[in-house]
């Protein structure tokens, strides 16, 4: 795996979408792969919690007949956390402040997910990366 390319993708997303505060990529089992997070965030804990949420979200998507899980967004009083599936084996976590443009975030993240998946697997990006469904969870 090319760690420099992965860091570049994460940094590039942050540069394209004002309001992104932190990013991380984790394996579906919760192991941290890469992180670009503030010192106040424990990236290993973030990866583990995100993977647990990914499992629940995937199950909820399957049980409700909504196809393959792609993303979920949790809103808090000081911003949001977006969790995106990266193929079947990884996920990307994006944290944003209150002013982040969610539509722009999703628009810019879709192609990045395909590139991240190809970095992780060594394969070419798949054609269905842009086909997303959304599950949103409000938090306070």
């Amino acid at each position: 795996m090319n760690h420099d390319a992965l860091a570049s993708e994460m940094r590039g997303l942050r540069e394209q979408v004002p309001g992104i505060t932190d990013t991380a990529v984790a394996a579906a089992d919760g192991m941290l792969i890469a992180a670009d997070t503030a010192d106040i965030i424990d990236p290993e804990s973030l990866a583990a919690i995100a993977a647990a949420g990914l499992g629940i979200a995937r199950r909820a998507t399957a049980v409700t007949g909504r196809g393959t899980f792609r993303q979920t967004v949790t809103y808090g009083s000081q911003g949001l956390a977006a969790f995106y599936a990266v193929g079947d084996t990884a996920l990307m976590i994006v944290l944003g402040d209150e002013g982040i443009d969610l539509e722009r975030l999703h628009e810019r993240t879709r192609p990045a997910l395909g590139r991240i998946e190809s970095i992780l697997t060594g394969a070419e990006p798949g054609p269905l990366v842009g086909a997303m469904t959304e599950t949103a969870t409000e938090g306070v």
Side-chain angles (χ1 to χ4, degrees):
M1 174 178 45
N2 184 335
H3 289 281
D4 290 335
L6 185 56
S8 178
E9 283 297 333
M10 294 166 65
R11 193 173 40 256
L13 187 60
R14 199 179 242 204
E15 292 169 357
Q16 292 176 39
V17 183
I20 291 178
T21 59
D22 308 272
T23 59
V25 175
D29 67 1
M31 295 299 297
L32 181 67
I33 296 171
D36 179 17
T37 58
D39 291 338
I40 62 168
I41 295 174
D42 175 13
E44 286 85 9
S45 293
L46 178 62
I49 290 167
L54 174 69
I56 292 167
R58 280 188 169 152
R59 186 70 184 132
T61 303
V63 167
T64 58
R66 299 297 171 236
T68 303
F69 170 79
R70 294 290 179 223
Q71 68 193 36
T72 187
V73 179
T74 301
Y75 299 90
S77 61
Q78 297 180 6
L80 61 79
F83 306 92
Y84 298 92
V86 180
D88 292 331
T89 60
L91 66 144
M92 180 168 192
I93 306 130
V94 179
L95 306 180
D97 62 26
E98 294 170 319
I100 194 167
D101 180 341
L102 187 59
E103 188 173 320
R104 182 178 177 91
L105 173 63
H106 291 330
E107 175 185 289
R108 300 298 179 171
T109 301
R110 289 179 189 125
L113 293 172
R115 293 188 300 269
I116 289 169
E117 183 177 15
S118 70
I119 292 166
L120 296 176
T121 64
E124 290 297 316
L128 299 178
V129 171
M132 299 281 204
T133 60
E134 182 174 342
T135 303
T137 306
E138 298 256 347
V140 252

